[in-house]
Amino acid sequence: MVIANKKVLIEKLTGIHSSKKSYYVELKKKISEITRQNLQLEIINQLTKSIGVDMTFKQILENIIPKLQVLISFDILNLYIIEQDRLVNQSTFLVENNNHKHGKALAKYNQQVEHLEIKGQQISPTLKKAITENKPLLRRSFKQEKPASAEEEELQAMGIASTVLIPLMAKNKTIGVLELASKTDFNDGDLPFLSQVADQLSVCLENVRLYKEVWQHKHEWETTFSAVTDLLMFINNNHEILRVNRAAIEFFTHREEDILGQKCYRLLYGRETKCNPCLAEQVIKTNQTAYLQSRTRFHRVLDIFAYPAYTEQNTPLGVTYYAKDVTRFVDSIKFVSLGEMSAGVAHELNSPLTAIVGNSQLLLRETPLSSPHYQLIKDIKSCGMRCQRIIQNLLTFSRQDEYSFEEVDLNQVVERALSLVSYQIEKNKIELSKKLYASLPPVLGNAQGLEQVIINLMLNAKDAIYTKTKESDHYRKGLITIKTRVQPEKFVAVDIIDTGCGIDTSSIPHVFNPFYTTKRAGQGTGLGLSVSLGIAQAHRGFIDVDSVPGKGSRFSLIIPLDEPKPDREDGPNGQSEENRPQEVKL
Ligand SMILES: Nc1ncnc2c1ncn2[C@@H]1O[C@H](COP(=O)(O)OP(=O)(O)OP(=O)(O)O)[C@@H](O)[C@H]1O
Ligand SMILES: [Mg+2]
């Protein structure tokens, strides 16, 4: 009874119903079958894992061939894919070494027939049958058959004995055919495994197709996005920038990865908190486009149009900003009127001032130091000279068109500016640190104008340190760092960093306004930065500011580099017309 039960139990466990004599033979057969099935499953599993959505057909086949060879002997593998109602031979592989375990796939044959288009009427009858009947097709006596196409003739000439064709299906639609050809015979047992391989391959190929489709659409959108010459930004509900186009990257002169994720108010205005009112919030609240003209932290005036974006479920997704740089237009109105006025005033004041300064100098020479008039005349002379300086600044507005532009080495400009101001700086016991980038490319500019900008920035830095030391209880040594740097093919920059009093966030937008000054009457005209900005803009550049009240400021003069011109545009002497130093009207 027990023995009988044991026999039933073993039969149930192993699935072998036989006498004891053939039991072990059967068991061995069963084990090798199970091992083979496990291996098949493992191969299918490996195959699925090894295929990435971004792979080409060729890469996919290169991946699966060695895995298939572990179990099946074949010499040629063909992949046909249906594209726009046409069956296209995507890849053909010849297996170099018919050692089934380590055969290496070659792309030689592939190069001859890859992308061979097989239009409806040219499809071999076997391929057609596999597609229409939609089931694996095994041809064992291929060698003896009459070739139905040039391709089949070629296969026979290569000594192919049998072929197997397995349709590839995705979403109930035939998407292609996988063909294996062998110089030896395939057997029926290979078909279920090959069908499973084909099923997995179909899923992977469909994923690859979908990925390519999405990628293509993404690429089209990105190209459109980048082609827009005005600024485009997409901002989420948390005021974070998620996308920018090329124009925006160039405008902010940061790398894309540094812009993405930044808060819009920090990037646009250098603020630490959101704007009040906030344009993005207004747009989302009203579900209407909004417009704002504002001066950003780069002192550029932007016309900003904001458009709301929603998900399919109608929940707010963020805001798209479309911004146009209208600085030149806005500033030109301001500068033209200021320039015209300055030119007139300066012209009228110049002659009487020359007389005031000249005559007071003559009088000083004749007045003894002990005379009560000496100090009065000295004051007349120094005030007259100060007025001359103001006039000189005003003339910079009106006379900019006299500038000529040539190739300028900003390091040399910095050196010259330092030779003029370093005495004043060091006299105030301020340390000066100079870090000049050795291989700075030249810029197209006006050396005198740029020198004036650097001097203005250096003197402001000195004054800011002086203000801080004066205000603080204990003496602290100040430091001014002057640095040159380059962003290849984009711009060169001069940074002037001080450890002075810094500027309030609310005052930063005003520092470039003409006549804005926090210095005592008689100390500053408030024209230094507006003149400097005018010069920077005349060079297609700008001045960037970063400041922490009580800690210090960084003013950066940014001058764009000319885009490199293609060689073939060059003239006979290797210099293109546009590359030559030129006179630029400002
Ligand atoms: N490095 C700096 N640190 C702190 N504040 C600064 C700095 N540079 C400029 N400022 C602020 O900006 C104001 C305007 O500067 P700007 O150079 O235009 O005029 P100014 O220095 O006051 O007068 P001047 O015409 O003599 O240059 C300054 O009065 C000062 O308040
Ligand atoms: Mg100044």
Side-chain angles (χ1 to χ4, degrees):
M1 182 65 184
V2 176
I3 293 173
N5 281 347
K6 204 171 163 188
K7 193 173 171 239
V8 172
L9 188 68
I10 290 174
E11 277 181 7
K12 273 193 178 161
L13 282 172
T14 60
I16 299 166
H17 312 273
S18 90
S19 67
K20 197 174 177 187
K21 199 175 159 209
S22 60
Y23 175 78
Y24 288 105
V25 180
E26 284 277 329
L27 187 64
K28 219 170 148 193
K29 222 169 107 193
K30 199 80 185 172
I31 289 173
S32 83
E33 200 181 301
I34 291 171
T35 314
R36 190 177 158 82
Q37 278 171 5
N38 278 347
L39 194 60
Q40 288 182 350
L41 283 177
E42 199 185 312
I43 286 169
I44 290 171
N45 188 23
Q46 276 179 16
L47 194 146
T48 321
K49 279 191 194 154
S50 68
I51 297 177
V53 282
D54 53 348
M55 282 181 168
T56 61
F57 291 126
K58 200 171 144 199
Q59 286 169 329
I60 293 174
L61 295 181
E62 270 167 355
N63 246 301
I64 69 170
I65 286 174
K67 296 186 176 82
L68 284 181
Q69 282 185 293
V70 176
L71 284 170
I72 292 182
S73 156
F74 62 93
D75 298 278
I76 292 174
L77 182 143
N78 264 315
L79 176 69
Y80 300 92
I81 296 288
I82 296 175
E83 278 179 3
Q84 288 160 2
D85 293 334
R86 279 194 302 192
L87 193 67
V88 180
N89 182 344
Q90 290 293 347
S91 269
T92 299
F93 278 82
L94 255 192
V95 178
E96 184 187 44
N97 168 357
N98 214 1
N99 172 340
H100 304 158
K101 284 201 174 104
H102 306 290
K104 196 176 154 215
L106 278 185
K108 267 198 270 169
Y109 189 72
N110 172 28
Q111 280 162 12
Q112 292 167 23
V113 289
E114 195 177 7
H115 300 298
L116 167 76
E117 284 186 3
I118 309 167
K119 297 203 178 81
Q121 66 277 19
Q122 287 175 295
I123 295 180
S124 77
T126 349
L127 267 172
K128 209 169 190 170
K129 196 167 173 218
I131 292 171
T132 46
E133 290 183 7
N134 197 14
K135 59 180 190 208
L137 202 81
L138 175 64
R139 293 168 84 193
R140 258 206 222 95
S141 50
F142 180 72
K143 225 178 193 168
Q144 287 82 46
E145 286 177 22
K146 192 170 171 280
S149 64
E151 242 192 330
E152 287 193 1
E153 206 175 313
E154 203 177 337
L155 289 178
Q156 281 182 347
M158 289 170 76
I160 293 301
S162 65
T163 68
V164 59
L165 290 135
I166 311 127
L168 302 170
M169 301 283 296
K171 292 183 196 153
N172 287 332
K173 235 177 90 188
T174 311
I175 58 163
V177 179
L178 179 70
E179 181 183 39
L180 295 184
S182 173
K183 289 177 185 166
T184 56
D185 275 346
F186 289 114
N187 54 57
D188 290 327
D190 293 332
L191 285 187
F193 168 62
L194 284 174
S195 294
Q196 284 184 39
V197 168
D199 285 349
Q200 289 304 323
L201 188 61
S202 306
V203 173
C204 297
L205 292 176
E206 183 63 3
N207 287 345
V208 170
R209 191 188 64 77
L210 291 174
Y211 173 80
K212 277 190 185 146
E213 209 173 285
V214 171
W215 191 89
Q216 175 69 21
H217 289 156
K218 182 174 171 278
H219 180 70
E220 279 167 18
W221 261 112
E222 278 177 356
T223 318
T224 318
F225 204 64
S226 292
V228 178
T229 49
D230 294 320
L231 285 68
L232 282 173
M233 287 182 273
F234 183 72
I235 290 148
N236 68 10
N237 296 328
N238 208 16
H239 310 273
E240 286 155 354
I241 297 164
L242 298 189
R243 288 200 84 94
V244 277
N245 70 345
R246 200 179 304 135
I249 296 170
E250 278 165 15
F251 179 85
F252 293 112
T253 66
H254 287 315
R255 288 175 316 165
E256 186 174 4
E257 51 268 41
D258 295 335
I259 294 178
L260 300 183
Q262 263 207 57
K263 300 280 189 191
C264 56
Y265 46 81
R266 166 129 190 91
L267 185 72
L268 282 166
Y269 305 108
R271 297 172 58 105
E272 292 307 325
T273 51
K274 68 177 174 122
C275 312
N276 189 14
C278 165
L279 188 67
E281 282 178 358
Q282 183 194 335
V283 164
I284 290 174
K285 208 162 112 196
T286 59
N287 187 17
Q288 272 181 359
T289 306
Y291 162 78
L292 170 82
Q293 186 179 81
S294 72
R295 193 173 276 272
T296 64
R297 64 189 289 227
F298 298 98
H299 324 294
R300 303 270 191 97
V301 183
L302 290 182
D303 269 351
I304 306 175
F305 297 86
Y307 305 90
Y310 291 87
T311 62
E312 274 177 27
Q313 288 74 36
N314 226 19
T315 44
L317 194 66
V319 173
T320 302
Y321 279 168
Y322 164 80
K324 205 172 173 55
D325 188 349
V326 291
T327 318
R328 274 189 183 274
F329 175 68
V330 172
D331 284 353
S332 61
I333 297 171
K334 203 159 106 188
F335 281 130
V336 163
S337 49
L338 186 64
E340 277 170 4
M341 186 194 78
S342 318
V345 173
H347 184 75
E348 290 302 315
L349 290 184
N350 227 1
S351 330
L353 273 175
T354 313
I356 291 171
V357 173
N359 290 343
S360 56
Q361 242 161 354
L362 283 176
L363 275 175
L364 263 187
R365 256 182 243 157
E366 286 162 17
T367 315
L369 263 172
S370 53
S371 161
H373 297 137
Y374 185 86
Q375 193 52 42
L376 294 175
I377 304 169
K378 201 176 164 196
D379 283 351
I380 294 173
K381 185 192 140 199
S382 64
C383 287
M385 285 174 76
R386 192 171 125 64
C387 291
Q388 276 184 327
R389 256 201 341 269
I390 295 174
I391 281 173
Q392 204 52 47
N393 274 339
L394 287 173
L395 284 174
T396 317
F397 281 116
S398 49
R399 287 219 197 118
Q400 276 176 3
D401 56 352
E402 288 175 12
Y403 278 176
S404 67
F405 277 40
E406 61 207 352
E407 282 205 339
V408 175
D409 176 357
L410 267 184
N411 280 344
Q412 278 178 18
V413 175
V414 168
E415 293 283 14
R416 260 200 315 274
L418 283 182
S419 69
L420 295 174
V421 292
S422 57
Y423 172 72
Q424 281 190 63
I425 290 171
E426 279 156 5
K427 191 178 81 180
N428 281 277
K429 305 219 167 24
I430 295 169
E431 202 184 318
L432 198 60
S433 160
K434 188 173 71 176
K435 294 173 184 167
L436 302 186
Y437 185 79
S439 20
L440 204 66
V443 290
L444 197 63
N446 178 276
Q448 236 183 321
L450 295 171
E451 191 180 304
Q452 192 183 342
V453 176
I454 294 164
I455 291 175
N456 286 348
L457 298 179
M458 294 291 292
L459 292 179
N460 281 353
K462 176 207 77 169
D463 291 345
I465 291 174
Y466 178 74
T467 309
K468 184 171 161 186
T469 7
K470 206 176 58 181
E471 283 168 359
S472 65
D473 294 338
H474 55 282
Y475 176 77
R476 261 199 234 113
K477 204 173 175 193
L479 168 70
I480 298 177
T481 308
I482 184 157
K483 223 165 81 179
T484 51
R485 63 191 158 96
V486 61
Q487 176 94 2
E489 292 178 15
K490 293 246 161 89
F491 61 82
V492 286
V494 184
D495 299 324
I496 287 134
I497 308 156
D498 65 64
T499 57
C501 58
I503 311 166
D504 288 340
T505 318
S506 59
S507 306
I508 289 183
H510 307 297
V511 294
F512 290 91
N513 289 346
F515 304 110
Y516 173 86
T517 180
T518 52
K519 291 168 193 169
R520 269 192 300 124
Q523 291 285 309
T525 64
L527 279 172
L529 282 181
S530 51
V531 167
S532 303
L533 180 62
I535 296 173
Q537 286 176 338
H539 287 77
R540 293 182 295 123
F542 59 93
I543 298 174
D544 184 29
V545 192
D546 236 336
S547 188
V548 181
K551 287 240 154 78
S553 313
R554 174 187 57 80
F555 279 74
S556 300
L557 167 66
I558 315 272
I559 304 291
L561 286 168
D562 269 354
E563 282 178 19
K565 306 275 182 327
D567 287 349
R568 74 190 108 83
E569 280 183 20
D570 285 1
N573 54 3
Q575 201 174 32
S576 73
E577 278 301 319
E578 294 119 291
N579 267 346
R580 291 217 188 101
Q582 43 191 297
E583 286 274 327
V584 177
K585 288 270 175 212
L586 303 175

